[in-house]
Amino acid sequence: MRKILLTLVLLAVLSGCAASNGGNSSGGADSGANAYIQNKGSDTVVNLALAWAEKYQDVRPEVRISVTGGGSGTGIAALIEGTVDIANASRAIKAEEREEAADNGIEAVEHIIARDAIAVIVHPDNPVNELSLLEISGIFRGEINNWSEVGGEDRPIVRVSRETNSGTHVYFLESVIRLGSSEDKSIFSADTLLLPSSEGIISEVRDNPNAIGYDGLGYVIPEVKVLGVSKELDGPAIMPSVDTVNTGDYPISRDLYMYTPATVSDAVETYLAWIYSEEAQAIVKELGFVPVR
Amino acid sequence: MQRRNITRNEWIITLIIKISGYSSILFVSLIFIFLMREGLPALGDVPAASLFGERWYPIEGYYSIWPLLFGSLVVTIGAILLAIPLGVGTSVYISEVAHPTIKAILKPLIEVLAGLPSVVLGFLGIQVAVPFLRRALDLPTGLTAFSGAVLLAMIATPTIVSITEDALNTVPSAYRQAALAVGATQWQTIWGVTLPAARSGVLTAVMLGVGRAIGETMAVMMVTGNAAVLPHGLNAFFLPVRTMTATIASEMGEVANGSPHYHVLFFIGIFLFVLSLVINILASSVSLRSKKRAERVLS
């Protein structure tokens, strides 16, 4: 059923472009022909996917990629329905979603395409070098209000965060403030500064010795101090880096995924292979994420 | 024949002018209807306890407008307290005291200041004013209502200056000459005669300055820290705030059309609309009343 659909889509695209080589079936298609890739899902991944699609135009101008956001759930739902070729997700597919896909005859294949790590940053003069997840959670909930409570100087703590519409904000809320518990309904302390951009956060933390902030690892500049983070109160503190993120030791990081059906067109396959190339993974770094290789 | 042409042209021009005149009524009422249609459903979507609660955190369903309203008021009042003395002082200096050469330099400079995009002022604020205020006043952070007020004062001052200066220029020079003739000093003439005679113009200037300040978005968003805190006392002036305009600007882009959050943002828009309406009505009623008094003095 899906193959027929894909063929129909391809045919429609081909006839629309008035291409000469018809009879292009998804089975033995020559990947040089005009191809069309539907890519949908996570709003965290959407900028990365867009940057990739744009760059891919230089590599393979004949392949057209349409990228839309909407959220991880939307993307996976579309994959289950068979309306997209690639679904983007900032979380792993759920067991029930996998079953639903199987009921529709689609086996969802997982590709980890990048990782997203959040660095906790302070002013370089701040003597604090490491914090546990629990302490960071306490600070941003508004329970810890002075640096002396976590081994620093007697200074008020100024919390700095991205705006609520940022994916990083939501991820930090869920995995750090609530420590990953879905029953926990605590939120950011009311006096948390909500700044509209990464630059705003970096510039406040760079200038203000009272501030603590967080941002995507790729956005952090040397003028701010990155804190080591430990999972347990007495556990070893891990500094975020490409290595510690890729081994999974650094606690505030997550994988970013693309899901495809088991059988894909040649265009999708070459696109996915390109995503793991050096050129494509360099874009990952540019956008503040962690490359997988 | 020609005469008829002239009458017809006259008729067309009058019609065009009439339409432009009435169009403002049309636009204002259309905006009002649109705001009401999109904003009022918030009252049904969101329980009143949330709408008039304590916190603004829309992604978890906290929709209290109080912190935002207080934020806007604190920043605007602060800006006006700073801008009135500065603005009126500058215009008195330009129109009553300054040497014509200095006046010729100052006036265009102030007009340049009026044309400066507020984002540029915001950059200046975030790079210069914010770190300076934190160190000078020993605050936890420089991103405060006060920083916003300082920037807004810089934005409102040129408006106040140019309108106040116009008002001072319309005061007949006979007033000043009479005051000086009976032995008043220059300061006594300005404070006791010229300024009171131009009062309606000065008040209009201040009201327009307020309007400029309360509607300003970008500069405020960059320097006030955007923390939606309910103020507890006077030190709120030196703490971060979140204004209504900054909230609408930063959240409208991401919100799902027709969701409760969307309606609440329009509801805030209604608040802003009504607030500026009240300011304008106050301004015009004040200037009308003073005009009558001035006429009484003249007669």
Side-chain angles (χ1 to χ4, degrees):
Chain A
M1 177 60 203
R2 201 196 60 84
K3 269 193 177 175
I4 299 168
L5 240 171
L6 192 72
T7 317
L8 279 176
V9 168
L10 276 173
L11 276 175
V13 170
L14 285 172
S15 57
C17 304
S20 52
N21 56 340
N24 196 0
S25 78
S26 55
D30 52 325
S31 54
N34 287 342
Y36 185 58
I37 301 175
Q38 277 273 23
N39 184 193
K40 186 175 187 165
S42 163
D43 288 320
T44 312
V45 185
V46 75
N47 284 333
L48 181 57
L50 276 171
W52 274 338
E54 209 168 288
K55 187 80 186 171
Y56 201 59
Q57 289 305 293
D58 301 340
V59 186
R60 301 288 292 272
E62 73 281 6
V63 179
R64 294 197 295 143
I65 304 171
S66 114
V67 180
T68 41
S72 303
T74 320
I76 292 173
L79 184 80
I80 295 168
E81 295 299 317
T83 53
V84 294
D85 304 304
I86 303 174
N88 304 331
S90 58
R91 59 168 172 82
I93 191 167
K94 293 175 188 159
E96 56 262 36
E97 285 168 337
R98 212 175 259 288
E99 276 164 33
E100 262 181 76
D103 290 346
N104 284 3
I106 294 169
E107 188 200 337
V109 180
E110 181 176 294
H111 311 267
I112 296 175
I113 43 136
R115 291 194 171 88
D116 185 15
I118 292 180
V120 179
I121 50 176
V122 295
H123 190 271
D125 293 346
N126 194 326
V128 174
N129 289 320
E130 51 189 64
L131 289 172
S132 69
L133 274 182
L134 207 65
E135 284 170 325
I136 299 171
S137 167
I139 287 172
F140 277 93
R141 284 172 194 227
E143 289 158 4
I144 300 174
N145 289 303
N146 195 299
W147 280 109
S148 61
E149 292 171 61
V150 288
E153 296 165 334
D154 179 23
R155 286 177 170 282
I157 294 180
V158 172
R159 308 162 185 92
V160 187
S161 161
R162 290 286 297 275
E163 273 284 359
T164 49
N165 54 24
S166 142
T168 316
H169 177 106
V170 177
Y171 173 53
F172 193 81
L173 173 73
E174 286 167 357
S175 67
V176 178
I177 292 185
R178 295 175 176 170
L179 297 164
S181 150
S182 56
E183 281 105 69
D184 196 339
K185 287 289 163 223
S186 39
I187 55 174
F188 279 85
S189 166
D191 57 6
T192 308
L193 306 182
L194 299 179
L195 302 185
S197 66
S198 275
E199 290 73 27
I201 290 172
I202 299 279
S203 91
E204 174 67 3
V205 172
R206 191 183 53 204
D207 292 334
N208 189 346
N210 305 321
I212 181 170
Y214 65 87
D215 209 346
L217 186 56
Y219 293 120
V220 173
I221 56 167
E223 282 92 341
V224 297
K225 182 156 105 180
V226 178
L227 293 183
V229 180
S230 58
K231 278 181 193 145
E232 311 295 332
L233 207 55
D234 308 318
I238 311 285
M239 292 298 290
S241 70
V242 173
D243 287 337
T244 54
V245 168
N246 279 335
T247 55
D249 288 332
Y250 184 69
I252 321 175
S253 74
R254 58 176 167 177
D255 299 336
L256 301 177
Y257 307 92
M258 279 188 173
Y259 287 96
T260 57
T263 46
V264 291
S265 66
D266 288 355
V268 172
E269 208 171 314
T270 38
Y271 180 53
L272 279 172
W274 176 81
I275 279 175
Y276 289 100
S277 73
E278 216 157 282
E279 186 184 22
Q281 289 291 315
I283 296 176
V284 173
K285 212 164 184 179
E286 259 168 50
L287 290 179
F289 298 113
V290 177
V292 282
R293 41 162 283 181
Chain B
M1 185 61 197
Q2 194 161 12
R3 208 190 166 84
R4 193 188 294 162
N5 256 347
I6 288 173
T7 355
R8 204 184 56 202
N9 287 348
E10 194 96 331
W11 182 81
I12 291 172
I13 289 167
T14 323
L15 185 74
I16 291 172
I17 294 173
K18 243 187 213 164
I19 290 173
S20 358
Y22 287 129
S23 67
S24 68
I25 301 179
L26 180 77
F27 288 142
V28 169
S29 32
L30 280 181
I31 290 171
F32 189 70
I33 291 169
F34 179 71
L35 273 181
M36 286 296 167
R37 207 193 62 192
E38 301 293 327
L40 284 183
L43 292 171
D45 286 356
V46 179
S50 168
L51 206 54
F52 301 102
E54 289 226 337
R55 289 226 38 189
W56 173 264
Y57 195 69
I59 54 175
E60 291 287 322
Y62 296 88
Y63 288 117
S64 174
I65 56 173
W66 290 133
L68 310 179
L69 187 65
F70 281 119
S72 281
L73 287 181
V74 165
V75 174
T76 310
I77 290 169
I80 285 310
L81 289 181
L82 293 169
I84 289 177
L86 193 65
V88 174
T90 311
S91 45
V92 165
Y93 177 70
I94 289 179
S95 109
E96 306 291 316
V97 186
H99 189 271
T101 342
I102 296 177
K103 184 175 172 175
I105 299 169
L106 278 182
K107 267 210 87 166
L109 277 182
I110 283 163
E111 266 140 36
V112 168
L113 199 61
L116 214 59
S118 58
V119 182
V120 174
L121 277 175
F123 274 132
L124 209 70
I126 208 161
Q127 293 298 336
V128 182
V130 165
F132 172 76
L133 285 174
R134 182 177 57 76
R135 276 188 213 103
L137 304 173
D138 194 27
L139 300 169
T141 172
L143 297 165
T144 60
F146 183 66
S147 319
V150 169
L151 278 198
L152 281 188
M154 283 179 73
I155 291 168
T157 301
T159 313
I160 296 179
V161 171
S162 58
I163 298 172
T164 306
E165 212 229 326
D166 285 346
L168 288 173
N169 284 340
T170 56
V171 175
S173 53
Y175 282 31
R176 297 182 191 94
Q177 287 157 2
L180 294 170
V182 295
T185 62
Q186 190 178 26
W187 163 245
Q188 286 168 333
T189 310
I190 292 168
W191 186 248
V193 177
T194 323
L195 266 181
R199 183 168 47 196
S200 77
V202 175
L203 279 168
T204 314
V206 169
M207 289 303 182
L208 285 172
V210 177
R212 183 82 211 273
I214 205 162
E216 178 49 46
T217 311
M218 274 317 292
V220 171
M221 194 156 97
M222 291 165 86
V223 300
T224 55
N226 299 323
V229 206
L230 260 184
H232 299 283
L234 275 177
N235 65 343
F237 201 49
F238 295 103
L239 291 175
V241 293
R242 190 180 182 88
T243 63
M244 297 192 280
T245 45
T247 304
I248 296 177
S250 63
E251 293 174 15
M252 195 47 115
E254 300 285 329
V255 77
N257 209 322
S259 65
H261 188 186
Y262 173 89
H263 290 309
V264 173
L265 289 180
F266 272 98
F267 191 71
I268 296 169
I270 297 178
F271 257 74
L272 273 171
F273 187 86
V274 170
L275 215 59
S276 64
L277 200 71
V278 167
I279 290 167
N280 276 323
I281 290 172
L282 274 181
S284 56
S285 73
V286 161
S287 65
L288 278 180
R289 201 180 55 199
S290 334
K291 196 172 277 168
K292 276 175 204 142
R293 193 173 298 157
E295 281 162 4
R296 206 165 53 227
V297 172
L298 276 177
S299 64

